[in-house]
């Protein structure tokens, strides 16, 4: 397992979401098995489901960034499981201002949002694995996922990055 394994799993999970017509919701399951039954997700649970499939997190372990800009770890042992393989880096910069320091596979936290940095494309644009509302057909809660791998020109600051220690 390395940081690039997360990118592979992010692609597989995104394709599954689109194929199975997953919808955006705040009422998510706390495990990948539960998510497959409910067919709903949001930005943070998408990232956590990828990590659960890779064995980094266990079912019931989730994390997200709240409105106060604090990373919240839900489920027993979640923070320890993440801290074992990732280091939390305080950023507090717009994505474009941190572009040269991001690495593919970085998990980025914003106020009430989480995504995975996929890299820089051939047009020098930042690309993300992002299962927020904007990745759905309606761009609202209840919308079906359409495009999770996408260019984002964000005006929201990245508060923290989780970076693979390896």
């Amino acid at each position: 397992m390395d940081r690039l394994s997360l990118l592979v799993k992010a692609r597989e999970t995104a394709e599954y979401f689109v194929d199975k017509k997953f919808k955006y919701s705040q009422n998510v399951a706390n495990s990948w098995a539960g998510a497959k039954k409910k067919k709903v997700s949001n930005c943070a649970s998408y990232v956590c489901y990828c990590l659960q499939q890779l064995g980094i997190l266990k079912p019931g372990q989730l994390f997200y960034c709240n409105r106060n800009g604090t990373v919240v770890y839900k489920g027993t042992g979640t923070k320890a499981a993440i801290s074992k393989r990732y280091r939390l880096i305080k950023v507090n910069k717009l994505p474009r201002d941190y572009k040269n320091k991001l690495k593919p596979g970085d998990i980025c936290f914003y106020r009430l949002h989480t995504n995975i940095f996929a890299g820089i494309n051939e047009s020098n644009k930042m690309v993300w694995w992002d299962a927020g509302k904007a990745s759905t057909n309606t761009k609202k809660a209840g919308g079906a996922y359409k495009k999770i791998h996408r260019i984002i020109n964000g005006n929201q600051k990245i508060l923290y990055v989780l970076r693979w220690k390896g």
Side-chain angles (χ1 to χ4, degrees), residues 144-160:
Y145 284 105
K146 183 178 174 183
K147 188 159 178 66
I148 294 173
H149 187 251
R150 59 197 187 89
I151 294 169
I152 301 173
N153 298 315
N155 294 326
Q156 191 178 10
K157 287 183 178 179
I158 298 172
L159 300 178
Y160 299 96

Side-chain angles (χ1 to χ4, degrees), residues 5-66:
S5 298
L6 178 57
L7 296 174
V8 172
K9 192 52 68 179
R11 174 185 297 274
E12 291 171 3
T13 304
E15 289 170 354
Y16 188 88
F17 275 21
V18 172
D19 182 55
K20 301 296 182 186
K21 299 178 177 34
F22 270 56
K23 294 184 177 177
Y24 180 94
S25 175
Q26 290 299 321
N27 185 21
V28 298
N30 67 1
S31 69
W32 176 234
K36 289 193 289 186
K37 289 179 185 153
K38 286 181 85 168
K39 294 187 180 176
V40 297
S41 186
N42 61 35
C43 57
S45 61
Y46 163 73
V47 174
C48 293
Y49 297 152
C50 291
L51 293 172
Q52 286 180 11
Q53 291 174 80
L54 291 168
I56 293 170
L57 292 179
K58 293 178 183 168
Q61 295 180 324
L62 301 170
F63 57 74
Y64 62 93
C65 191
N66 68 17

Side-chain angles (χ1 to χ4, degrees), residues 59-144:
Q61 295 180 324
L62 301 170
F63 57 74
Y64 62 93
C65 191
N66 68 17
R67 74 177 65 254
N68 297 324
T70 302
V71 178
V72 176
Y73 300 93
K74 299 199 79 153
T76 306
T78 305
K79 186 174 184 177
I82 290 298
S83 299
K84 183 176 175 182
R85 293 184 175 91
Y86 287 88
R87 64 186 162 98
L88 187 65
I89 302 166
K90 187 171 182 158
V91 175
N92 203 31
K93 294 184 184 220
L94 292 171
R96 67 179 167 267
D97 298 331
Y98 201 67
K99 182 177 181 178
N100 295 331
K101 294 193 178 186
L102 283 170
K103 294 182 178 184
D106 281 351
I107 298 168
C108 299
F109 292 107
Y110 315 73
R111 266 183 185 57
L112 297 175
H113 190 60
T114 307
N115 63 17
I116 303 166
F117 181 65
I120 308 289
N121 71 9
E122 59 282 346
S123 303
N124 201 32
K125 303 278 187 192
M126 300 172 81
V127 184
W128 307 83
W129 290 104
D130 188 296
K133 288 179 204 164
S135 298
T136 70
N137 60 348
T138 63
K139 309 219 183 308
K140 297 177 188 170

